Amino acid sequence: MKTSHNLLQIAGAVAATLGLSGNVSALELDIYGVGHLSVDSNNDGSDTVLAVASNSSRLGFAGNHRIGDKLRVVFQFESGVDLTGNSGNDGNGGGPRDGQLFTRARDSWLGLEGNWGKVLAGRQAGLNQWLYDYNLFADQIGDLGNIWGGTGLPGRVDSALSYTTPTFSNMNILFGYAPETAANADNEVTLAKLNYGSGKLKVGAGYASVGQGANPDHTAWAVTASYDFGDWNLGGGYQSESDIGGTSGADSSSYTLGAALNLGPGTLKAQYVLFDGNQADTDANQIAVGYDYPFDKATTFYIAYAATSNDANGGFTANNYGHGKAVTVANGDDPSSLSVGVVYKFDVGLIK
């Protein structure tokens, strides 16, 4: 009996430390989504085709469940949606067959959060940890991911664990890990991300290592920065990769610089990306210009143009990452796209 009493005391102390109590507060739950459609004129370097594309459209549920005063369960369940029914190419990774609405899981996780930080488990961001720090054409043609993600770095990582520190001195740090998918597969993923924000300045730094079996790990690190001047903002970044795809000595450096200007009711924007590979004739650059017009808080219309120039052994696209109906590009081709699109977002608090 004494042993049982001691165990109950220990359990009570642990529960008090974590903020557990017998009273569970009400659930907080939001339903949110993005519908993004565009009409694109895509040129693969020789021929032009017209396409209607669904671009990273999504539907999700997110919320938290408080347990006591100091701990809460947090969750997000998010699925890609293909508004065109093509499924194979919707900017979310596609689905197993045409004609289906829901395609592939996006960031979806379950975790715990307290004043000590946050722990999550599930499908989580990989390259996307820093790709969207300053990406003026996210999910549009000219997305930064066409270049920074064009070497095979995963945008998201399955079965991942992560810990994010509390914010201190305007900064927090994330540590992530995904174990190998099978015995001796040697395809573990390790991530780290630092975020700093103070007033109008934002700075980020990221690192990723992706196992390639018996070959060297594909590693990358990046730094990003942006500053908001009021009517306009400026930002950019640098990404370095080593042993790309597990090929020893296949390294690269990538740079991006962008600027956005509030012009009338909308925003005029431009972004330039340069890929400098150490393998013969693999260099590439991408330029994108566009104008976003917010019809209201939920709806944005836009027009954008993007063009990518590849060296003889380069095969980067202008409309692939996060954007549906990507164009197949042969090495040495110089693709371009002109796009007119609409983005509709909603976020409804179902339970507060």
Side-chain angles (χ1 to χ4, degrees):
M1 294 295 293
K2 183 177 180 180
T3 300
S4 298
H5 180 70
N6 289 340
L7 289 175
L8 287 173
Q9 286 183 322
I10 293 171
V14 171
T17 300
L18 291 176
L20 298 172
S21 70
N23 297 320
V24 178
S25 65
L27 168 72
E28 293 185 6
L29 176 64
D30 289 352
I31 180 173
Y32 64 92
V34 177
H36 181 176
L37 284 170
S38 65
V39 178
D40 307 333
S41 176
N42 299 320
N43 187 285
D44 63 4
S46 57
D47 297 324
T48 300
V49 295
L50 194 66
V52 177
S54 180
N55 313 302
S56 293
S57 298
R58 70 206 73 159
L59 180 66
F61 297 85
N64 68 83
H65 191 121
R66 288 196 174 275
I67 308 174
D69 298 327
K70 298 180 181 179
L71 185 70
R72 59 180 182 170
V73 177
V74 292
F75 60 88
Q76 177 172 295
F77 311 140
E78 184 175 300
S79 175
V81 171
D82 186 351
L83 299 177
T84 66
N86 290 319
S87 297
N89 186 351
D90 69 332
N92 292 307
R97 61 186 182 276
D98 287 347
Q100 67 178 55
L101 177 64
F102 296 100
T103 56
R104 187 173 181 182
R106 293 171 56 88
D107 294 16
S108 299
W109 35 258
L110 183 66
L112 293 172
E113 184 175 18
N115 55 15
W116 42 265
K118 179 168 60 177
V119 174
L120 302 178
R123 181 167 166 81
Q124 301 181 56
L127 167 64
N128 292 355
Q129 290 284 357
W130 62 82
L131 181 68
Y132 295 108
D133 280 358
Y134 194 79
N135 184 355
L136 296 174
F137 291 83
D139 300 336
Q140 298 181 12
I141 61 172
D143 192 303
L144 176 60
N146 292 329
I147 306 297
W148 281 24
T151 60
L153 285 173
R156 297 183 180 89
V157 180
D158 294 335
S159 304
L161 303 169
S162 71
Y163 165 70
T164 303
T165 69
T167 298
F168 55 95
S169 300
N170 301 313
M171 176 178 65
N172 65 36
I173 304 173
L174 174 143
F175 302 96
Y177 176 74
E180 59 185 355
T181 56
N184 302 314
D186 293 330
N187 58 351
E188 301 96 334
V189 178
T190 302
L191 293 165
K193 177 69 194 305
L194 179 148
N195 301 294
Y196 174 83
S198 179
K200 298 179 179 181
L201 174 67
K202 293 182 180 180
V203 179
Y207 170 81
S209 175
V210 183
Q212 304 292 315
N215 298 317
D217 293 350
H218 182 167
T219 61
W221 65 270
V223 292
T224 60
S226 64
Y227 192 87
D228 189 348
F229 295 88
D231 283 339
W232 66 286
N233 64 70
L234 180 68
Y238 169 78
Q239 177 174 279
S240 174
E241 298 179 69
S242 298
D243 301 328
I244 295 172
T247 301
S248 180
D251 305 333
S252 70
S253 297
S254 300
Y255 311 82
T256 182
L257 180 65
L261 173 66
N262 292 333
L263 191 64
T267 302
L268 182 66
K269 58 187 185 179
Q271 183 171 278
Y272 176 77
V273 190
L274 173 66
F275 177 86
D276 182 11
N278 71 344
Q279 305 295 291
D281 296 322
T282 56
D283 294 353
N285 64 77
Q286 175 183 271
I287 187 168
V289 293
Y291 182 74
D292 294 343
Y293 179 84
F295 186 79
D296 57 26
K297 291 183 178 180
T299 311
T300 299
F301 296 96
Y302 70 86
I303 183 169
Y305 172 80
T308 298
S309 177
N310 289 296
D311 281 359
N313 294 322
F316 294 98
T317 70
N319 77 326
N320 185 17
Y321 204 93
H323 199 83
K325 302 299 289 184
V327 174
T328 300
V329 177
N331 286 352
D333 283 348
D334 296 331
S336 62
S337 293
L338 177 65
S339 179
V340 177
V342 59
V343 182
Y344 178 78
K345 300 180 180 180
F346 66 88
D347 191 339
V348 181
L350 297 181
I351 303 174
K352 291 295 184 182

